[in-house]
Amino acid sequence: MPPPAVPHGMCLKVMDDRNMKGGMGSATHPLKFMDQDYNSLQDVCLKKRMRFVDEFFPPDPRSIGEGLLEPEVMARVEWIRPMKLYPKAAFIVDTVSRFDFAQGKIGNCWFLASVGALTFQNKLLQKVVPDGQSFRHNYTGLFHFRFWRFGKWYDVVIDDKLPTINRKLIFVKSKTYNEFWPALLEKAYAKVCGSYADMHYGQVSEALMDFTGGVHVHYELKTPPTDLWKIMYRAFQSEVLMGCATPPGNQNEQRLPNGIVLGHAYTVTNVYQVMMGKYPVQLVRLFNPWGRFEWNGDWSDKSPLWNTVSDEDRKQHLQAENGEFWMSMNDFLRTFDNMDICCSCPDFLEEKSACHWISKFHHGSWVPGSTAGGCMNHSDTFFTNPQFWLKINEMDKACEQGQSNVLVSLIQKPDKRNRRNASHHDIGFYVFAVPPEASKISF
């Protein structure tokens, strides 16, 4: 389809982010969220021998938010530092694992499913959870985490006062009583969202992108590509995060007889093929961020089908009630509604290719009466929408055998400080091939 007529000067050149790598807002030099500098605050607390209290996310009902807890419950909340709860409190016990935590009194399974995926990728994990934090060396009650937000990385500081009732954490809980990285990570993300209540309900893709700063690929499982399992398998071999969600139920988080919870997010933790006799079976391993309630059908923990595979394949068999389970790809497609893959680089999309992806970005907006031209049904105004020219240069010789793929991702920046108050508009884009006669136009 040819592009619509465009007035000269209306198109915008796409920006290249290669020159920004290492600059402010990058993973190595993140911006200071709410202008709070971790090192400066740490120095002040050490010199004054004081414990940090965050004025921008204070330990009071404002940070929990409205509607999440009943008033009588809110009145019982006490904010306590981990060292007051347990003198042997630790930021991380042994290693970080998806089995470290279980969901609390917020409907933020979308966030915790993403955290479960993050625990598999050490490089990404170290970006989000900076090293060197503890309750022992230079402890001031100050912690920090990093998230990617709409094009830039931010360093987010928090104090370690956590909301409790009867000295028990209200929200995400660690299965190891004295481990606190999950609760502190959740608190930092709640600060970014505006409050704990602002984390109630969401899409797994949101947190996946905030943990990677990468591209996002979404699949509707009712109409999946024929090679989706192969895509997932290649993705698992790369540095990617994968999550999925079940269809909504008649009631919130309804549990089915087969063990699956409706309206719930899960982590994709492995993609594997076993041989059942002479026949290959494609499997997917999933994790419920509740830390319990598993699929009980074919290839589940107690399925006799594991007795039909080789000893080597049987090593993948799970027997613990920990929220993680296997199922066949066919059952996965029948059971789940959609899935998301998010990564720093989408190499997994091509089976064999020596070329490297180049990322570019541009910030734009739809302005009523100016650049909001509507969809193609509005032929008189469609051309006024923001437009971007993308030129694909000649490929490197190493890439000649591959495909000249282009992946376009569109994200919407919030217009409100609190996540749940942000407007969500139906947005989209069209991709047009520019005819040769138009390629000589200069902008």
Side-chain angles (χ1 to χ4, degrees):
M1 181 183 297
V6 182
H8 181 72
M10 188 61 205
C11 290
L12 303 173
K13 290 185 178 180
V14 178
M15 304 293 289
D16 190 336
D17 74 345
R18 286 175 292 178
N19 295 327
M20 291 190 62
K21 289 185 177 179
M24 294 307 297
S26 66
T28 53
H29 294 87
L31 296 173
K32 301 173 183 63
F33 188 72
M34 305 188 85
D35 292 324
Q36 291 177 289
D37 184 79
Y38 171 78
N39 291 322
S40 298
L41 292 170
Q42 179 80 330
D43 288 344
V44 169
C45 290
L46 288 172
K47 288 177 181 177
K48 295 186 175 182
R49 296 185 178 181
M50 59 181 285
R51 297 287 184 259
F52 176 66
V53 178
D54 188 2
E55 61 177 316
F56 293 106
F57 200 67
D60 63 35
R62 290 173 293 174
S63 295
I64 292 179
E66 298 178 358
L68 187 61
L69 301 178
E70 297 294 332
E72 59 272 18
V73 177
M74 183 76 84
R76 298 169 54 204
V77 173
E78 183 180 6
W79 297 76
I80 306 178
R81 298 186 189 273
M83 289 290 286
K84 293 289 186 180
L85 288 173
Y86 304 106
K88 294 185 178 181
F91 185 63
I92 296 173
V93 175
D94 297 329
T95 60
V96 170
S97 166
R98 62 197 178 281
F99 301 121
D100 287 348
F101 57 85
Q103 188 175 339
K105 293 184 178 295
I106 319 176
N108 64 349
C109 57
W110 58 277
F111 168 74
L112 295 177
S114 301
V115 174
L118 181 65
T119 62
F120 280 87
Q121 305 297 341
N122 286 331
K123 289 182 180 179
L124 292 175
L125 181 66
Q126 289 172 7
K127 287 183 182 179
V128 176
V129 185
D131 289 334
Q133 303 188 82
S134 75
F135 293 99
R136 298 293 178 265
H137 180 66
N138 287 337
Y139 169 69
T140 62
L142 172 67
F143 290 83
H144 67 134
F145 299 86
R146 292 171 181 169
F147 306 110
W148 182 89
R149 301 288 290 170
F150 309 106
K152 297 179 180 179
W153 284 89
Y154 288 87
D155 192 71
V156 181
V157 304
I158 56 167
D159 64 45
D160 64 349
K161 288 195 168 190
L162 297 170
T164 68
I165 293 179
N166 296 329
R167 300 182 66 83
K168 302 293 183 183
L169 295 180
I170 302 173
F171 304 126
V172 69
K173 300 174 177 62
S174 294
K175 294 182 179 180
T176 302
Y177 75 95
N178 63 330
E179 184 173 50
F180 285 92
W181 74 264
L184 294 172
L185 175 63
E186 182 186 57
K187 180 176 182 177
Y189 201 76
K191 179 177 179 177
V192 168
C193 292
S195 71
Y196 282 98
D198 283 283
M199 295 179 71
H200 203 53
Y201 301 127
Q203 302 295 323
V204 67
S205 58
E206 293 180 65
L208 291 180
M209 285 191 286
D210 289 345
F211 291 161
T212 63
V215 293
H216 162 234
V217 184
H218 180 81
Y219 295 98
E220 292 292 332
L221 299 184
K222 288 182 174 58
T223 55
T226 55
D227 62 342
L228 180 58
W229 185 86
K230 290 183 178 179
I231 292 173
M232 294 171 64
Y233 180 79
R234 292 197 299 269
F236 182 72
Q237 308 303 314
S238 307
E239 290 187 358
V240 305
L241 308 184
M242 290 189 283
C244 56
T246 52
N250 296 326
Q251 58 191 44
N252 290 339
E253 296 182 324
Q254 175 186 353
R255 187 184 175 197
L256 298 176
N258 62 13
I260 295 297
V261 180
L262 294 179
H264 192 48
Y266 290 75
T267 309
V268 178
T269 63
N270 203 343
V271 183
Y272 190 77
Q273 180 174 283
V274 298
M275 296 299 297
M276 192 166 64
K278 297 181 180 180
Y279 302 99
V281 181
Q282 297 172 339
L283 301 179
V284 179
R285 192 176 72 190
L286 299 130
F287 173 67
N288 182 345
W290 286 355
R292 56 197 178 102
F293 296 152
E294 303 176 4
W295 161 258
N296 55 37
D298 289 347
W299 300 103
S300 62
D301 291 10
K302 298 180 180 179
S303 172
L305 291 176
W306 287 104
N307 297 323
T308 67
V309 302
S310 67
D311 291 342
E312 184 66 26
D313 286 343
R314 202 174 296 121
K315 291 178 182 178
Q316 302 291 330
H317 188 197
L318 305 169
Q319 294 182 326
E321 178 61 32
N322 55 13
E324 192 168 53
F325 56 88
W326 289 97
M327 65 185 346
S328 71
M329 184 64 180
N330 289 336
D331 282 331
F332 174 70
L333 294 175
R334 282 192 290 263
T335 304
F336 286 84
D337 187 62
N338 59 77
M339 73 160 295
D340 297 279
I341 301 177
C342 202
C343 59
S344 300
C345 182
D347 288 337
F348 66 91
L349 291 175
E350 296 180 319
E351 189 167 359
K352 294 180 180 179
S353 178
C355 52
H356 299 284
W357 289 75
I358 297 174
S359 60
K360 298 172 182 287
F361 75 93
H362 192 87
H363 299 282
S365 61
W366 284 280
V367 180
S370 176
T371 62
C375 66
M376 288 186 66
N377 293 335
H378 305 276
S379 57
D380 293 341
T381 58
F382 179 72
F383 72 89
T384 64
N385 285 300
Q387 301 185 29
F388 308 91
W389 287 82
L390 174 65
K391 182 180 180 181
I392 303 176
N393 295 322
E394 184 177 348
M395 299 177 68
D396 296 335
K397 290 184 177 180
C399 302
E400 289 178 354
Q401 302 302 317
Q403 299 177 354
S404 53
N405 282 329
V406 175
L407 178 62
V408 181
S409 181
L410 180 66
I411 57 177
Q412 182 180 168
K413 294 184 179 180
D415 58 352
K416 299 289 191 303
R417 165 73 180 89
N418 289 75
R419 176 178 171 272
R420 59 179 171 171
N421 294 332
S423 301
H424 294 279
H425 303 284
D426 292 331
I427 61 176
F429 60 87
Y430 295 87
V431 178
F432 300 99
V434 177
E437 60 270 21
S439 62
K440 297 180 181 179
I441 300 175
S442 61
F443 298 94

